[in-house]
Amino acid sequence: MSSSDNNETNNTSCCASCGITENDDIKLRKCTACYLVRYCGVKCQKEHRKKHKKECKKRAAELHDEILFKQPESNHRGDCPICCIPLPLSH
C-alpha cells in the first residue's frame, strides 16, 4: 500500500496526495463528495483523483442513501400512493 493510499484510509489530518500535515499556515479541505480525504490544494486533488475516484464514488453513494433514509415517510392521505397526485375529495 502506498503512503497516499494509507493517508486516504487512516489519516485525515494530512493531504492525501502529498502527505503534508495541516498547520496554522496550511488548511486542508475535505473532498466535497465523500468527506473521507483532505487536500492542501487543487493540484494535489487533481493528482490524487485517479487513486481516489472509485472509493469516493462508493462513499458518496452511501452518503446519498443515508440522507434518503433519514427523511421522514410521506403521508399519502388524499394523494395517490403510486404517483402522489392529489385525489379528488368526495363530499
Side-chain angles (χ1 to χ4, degrees), residues 18-38:
C18 69
I20 194 167
T21 58
E22 186 172 41
N23 58 43
D24 292 337
D25 298 329
I26 300 171
K27 297 293 181 194
L28 300 178
R29 295 183 179 168
K30 290 182 182 179
C31 172
T32 57
C34 70
Y35 305 104
L36 290 177
V37 297
R38 295 179 185 223

Side-chain angles (χ1 to χ4, degrees), residues 23-57:
N23 58 43
D24 292 337
D25 298 329
I26 300 171
K27 297 293 181 194
L28 300 178
R29 295 183 179 168
K30 290 182 182 179
C31 172
T32 57
C34 70
Y35 305 104
L36 290 177
V37 297
R38 295 179 185 223
Y39 298 104
C40 62
V42 175
K43 181 181 175 190
C44 281
Q45 185 177 9
K46 286 181 180 179
E47 288 175 358
H48 191 249
R49 182 71 181 143
K50 283 185 179 182
K51 295 177 185 174
H52 176 61
K53 187 176 182 179
K54 185 177 180 180
E55 187 65 29
C56 181
K57 284 187 174 191

